[in-house]
């Protein structure tokens, strides 16, 4: 029986060949593969960028022959993203924001200062409710000093959180595939990232977390949900199951960095804890979790803006780190963030974190207060392949109202 595909099976496999080949061709430049998970049996066969370009030419003709609708719009986005990766690998001199637009379908602009002002006020209020007095600077210092973990304590604390998150994912979000689980949950040192998940197949995966860094305890709860349940591990395992059930197309049966699907893939995990309902209510446990996320969002604004300005050549490393520290990012974390968003691979997809969280959070707000609508949202988020633009269209159609997550309140 043929697997499910939007194009002919041959053409669908040809596109996955493009993706796998670009992953291999990009290794010398990026230092690592683009593809992090592959549910298909397709192996790369294209050995040059010219061969990739020729295959994309043929695929574009077939995509354009499709009727208007989700498959056509989704595949158009994928092909445009692949063309942009080819452009990067060719070393073409293109503006930074143009590359981000081609890959993420996001216009990477500076986040307005009023957003940071709003979050500072919210954080001051949140920490005040939790008993921290004084100005915001003093509140944040006292809060971090009294609620942070590092070293082995990070992993010891996290195991119970993961177990609870898996349980509540099945209660409130979706049923996980039989046999799904995490085989390794460990600390790692001397890396520039905070946490990472890897899907290893057969519904299994592992999690590594940077235990050199100081983790605010409640923010670590958010990160665990992001990486595990109902975040990345949940997405990986469910997509594998759907593909085996012929409910997920070949053209989407992998996960690739620098791809128009990245913002949704990061945005879903970015609201994972909220989908579990852990931050709901007026009790202190929920307040602590909300304060941690507000703190994170404030830092993310500075990280996102610094990424933009550094990669456009208008901000230095020192200025970028100072900006992040001014938004309460710990100095070591700011240094790591700089290394991350200037990395040859991550620089063009870094906007997926801030914007992905914003896009999916604002979408979920339209559905979260009615169980039937929640399930509609989960079908869109988890069970339908989406690029940034097709996700926005799906939210508009399902909610019956225009949706522009890039519009900030005045």
């Amino acid at each position: 029986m043929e697997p499910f595909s939007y194009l002919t099976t041959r053409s669908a496999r040809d596109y996955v060949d493009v993706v796998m080949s670009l992953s291999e061709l990009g290794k010398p430049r990026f230092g690592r593969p683009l593809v992090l998970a592959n549910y298909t049996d397709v192996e790369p066969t294209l050995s040059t960028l010219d061969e990739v370009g020729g295959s994309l030419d043929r695929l574009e003709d077939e995509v354009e022959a499709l009727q208007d609708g989700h498959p056509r719009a989704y595949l158009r986005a994928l092909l445009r993203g692949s063309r942009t990766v080819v452009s990067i690998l060719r070393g073409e001199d293109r503006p930074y924001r143009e590359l981000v637009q081609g890959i993420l379908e996001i216009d990477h602009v500076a986040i307005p200062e009023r957003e940071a002002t709003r979050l500072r006020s919210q954080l001051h209020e949140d920490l005040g409710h939790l008993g921290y007095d004084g100005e915001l600077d003093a509140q944040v210092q006292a809060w971090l000093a009294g609620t942070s973990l590092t070293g082995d304590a990070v992993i010891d604390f996290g195991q119970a959180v993961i177990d609870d998150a898996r349980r509540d994912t099945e209660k409130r979000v979706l049923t996980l595939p039989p046999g799904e689980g995490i085989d390794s949950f460990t600390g790692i040192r001397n890396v520039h990232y905070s946490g990472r998940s890897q899907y290893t197949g057969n519904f299994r995966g592992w999690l590594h977390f940077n235990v050199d860094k100081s983790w605010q305890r409640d923010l670590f709860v958010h990160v665990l949900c992001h990486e595990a349940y109902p975040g990345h591990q949940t997405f990986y395992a469910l997509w594998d199951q759907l593909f085996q059930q012929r409910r997920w197309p070949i053209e989407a049966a992998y996960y690739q960095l620098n791809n128009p699907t990245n913002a949704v893939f990061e945005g879903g995990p970015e609201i994972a804890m909220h989908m579990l309902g852990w931050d709901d209510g007026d009790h202190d446990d929920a307040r602590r979790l909300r304060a941690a996320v507000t703190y994170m969002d404030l830092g993310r604004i500075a990280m996102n803006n610094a990424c933009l300005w550094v990669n456009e050549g208008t901000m230095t490393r020192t200025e970028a780190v100072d900006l992040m520290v001014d938004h309460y990012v710990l100095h070591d974390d700011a240094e790591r963030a700089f290394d991350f968003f200037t990395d040859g691979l991550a620089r063009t997809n870094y906007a997926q974190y801030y914007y992905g969280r914003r896009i999916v959070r604002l979408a979920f707000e339209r559905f979260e207060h009615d169980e039937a609508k929640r399930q509609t949202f989960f079908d869109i988020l988890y069970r339908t392949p989406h690029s940034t633009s097709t996700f926005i269209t799906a939210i508009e159609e399902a909610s019956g109202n225009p949706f522009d997550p890039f519009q900030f309140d005045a």
Side-chain angles (χ1 to χ4, degrees):
M1 183 180 294
E2 292 285 0
F4 174 48
S5 62
Y6 289 150
L7 300 170
T8 64
T9 303
R10 172 63 184 274
S11 293
R13 292 177 65 86
D14 284 348
Y15 181 65
V16 179
D17 187 1
V18 164
V19 171
M20 300 304 157
S21 297
L22 281 176
S23 184
E24 290 299 309
L25 290 167
K27 282 183 180 178
R29 184 183 182 101
F30 300 136
R32 58 192 187 277
L34 286 169
V35 173
L36 302 185
N38 177 18
Y39 310 126
T40 78
D41 60 356
V42 177
E43 298 288 340
T45 68
L46 307 174
S47 58
T48 69
L49 294 175
D50 285 344
E51 290 178 343
V52 169
S55 187
L56 288 171
D57 289 341
R58 293 189 297 274
L59 288 163
E60 282 175 348
D61 290 341
E62 187 167 337
V63 169
E64 291 307 307
L66 295 175
Q67 293 183 343
D68 282 339
H70 175 266
R72 187 174 190 236
Y74 177 74
L75 292 171
R76 275 180 162 178
L78 293 191
L79 294 177
R80 185 166 54 248
S82 294
R83 291 283 195 192
T84 307
V85 173
V86 169
S87 177
I88 293 171
L89 294 179
R90 289 192 187 280
E92 295 174 0
D93 185 17
R94 294 174 59 184
Y96 172 71
R97 285 176 56 189
E98 183 179 301
L99 296 175
V100 176
Q101 176 62 243
I103 288 171
L104 295 180
E105 296 190 310
I106 285 172
D107 185 12
H108 190 182
V109 298
I111 308 306
E113 181 58 31
R114 62 181 179 273
E115 281 293 296
T117 299
R118 178 182 65 80
L119 289 170
R120 287 177 189 273
S121 177
Q122 183 63 56
L123 183 58
H124 180 62
E125 180 181 338
D126 290 343
L127 293 178
H129 280 301
L130 293 172
Y132 296 93
D133 298 325
E135 298 300 320
L136 183 56
D137 286 4
Q139 287 178 305
V140 170
Q141 289 177 16
W143 173 65
L144 291 175
T147 62
S148 293
L149 305 167
T150 191
D152 292 341
V154 174
I155 304 303
D156 293 341
F157 169 76
Q159 186 59 64
V161 175
I162 288 178
D163 293 342
D164 289 347
R166 190 182 192 284
R167 177 201 65 211
D168 288 355
T169 292
E170 295 216 292
K171 284 183 179 179
R172 292 181 57 91
V173 182
L174 52 80
T175 300
L176 294 161
E180 182 281 328
I182 292 171
D183 293 318
S184 174
F185 171 54
T186 61
I188 191 168
R189 296 183 182 273
N190 301 314
V191 295
H192 66 253
Y193 57 85
S194 297
R196 183 165 289 175
S197 61
Q198 178 67 51
Y199 186 69
T200 55
N202 297 316
F203 312 137
R204 311 296 293 184
W206 55 250
L207 303 174
H208 291 169
F209 290 96
N210 183 344
V211 294
D212 285 331
K213 75 183 254 64
S214 179
W215 287 95
Q216 197 285 321
R217 183 181 58 222
D218 301 293
L219 184 54
F220 190 51
V221 174
H222 160 84
V223 173
L224 287 170
C225 293
H226 175 116
E227 296 293 346
Y229 306 109
H232 287 320
Q233 168 65 16
T234 303
F235 277 86
Y236 281 135
L238 183 64
W239 289 350
D240 197 350
Q241 181 186 48
L242 292 171
F243 181 66
Q244 292 180 29
Q245 294 172 343
R246 301 187 69 252
R247 297 165 58 198
W248 192 260
I250 304 173
E251 297 94 335
Y254 56 85
Y255 184 69
Q256 175 201 340
L257 299 170
N258 281 26
N259 187 276
T261 64
N262 292 167
V264 176
F265 183 72
E266 291 297 338
E270 277 293 290
I271 68 160
M273 184 181 70
H274 182 58
M275 289 191 288
L276 296 178
W278 289 1
D279 57 351
D280 291 339
D282 293 328
H283 53 90
D284 279 354
D285 285 346
R287 289 185 186 278
R288 282 192 288 267
L289 293 172
R290 289 200 299 270
V293 171
T294 301
Y295 166 78
M296 178 194 72
D297 283 342
L298 179 60
R300 281 274 175 81
I301 287 176
M303 292 173 175
N304 188 77
N305 289 355
C307 173
L308 171 64
W309 293 328
V310 165
N311 282 294
E312 286 190 324
T314 61
M315 177 174 272
T316 67
R317 181 187 186 109
T318 298
E319 290 169 337
V321 170
D322 287 347
L323 176 66
M324 289 183 272
V325 170
D326 181 62
H327 287 66
Y328 300 112
V329 178
L330 298 178
H331 191 276
D332 286 350
D333 288 348
E335 294 278 1
R336 276 189 285 267
F338 181 91
D339 291 341
F340 191 23
F341 64 60
T342 55
D343 171 80
L345 181 57
R347 66 186 294 268
T348 45
N349 64 29
Y350 191 79
Q352 68 196 12
Y353 298 105
Y354 176 84
Y355 282 107
R357 173 171 168 75
R358 179 179 176 83
I359 292 164
V360 181
R361 176 178 58 81
L362 291 175
F364 186 53
E365 287 175 1
R366 298 187 171 203
F367 302 89
E368 64 178 315
H369 300 299
D370 178 276
E371 183 57 30
K373 292 179 179 178
R374 278 169 57 90
Q375 293 306 315
T376 295
F377 174 81
F378 294 147
D379 281 340
I380 294 170
L381 179 64
Y382 288 101
R383 300 184 180 93
T384 309
H386 278 297
S387 72
T388 302
S389 63
T390 66
F391 181 79
I392 290 171
T393 297
I395 296 301
E396 287 184 334
E397 291 176 349
S399 66
N401 289 297
F403 180 49
D404 182 3
F406 303 111
Q407 182 65 45
F408 291 89
D409 293 335

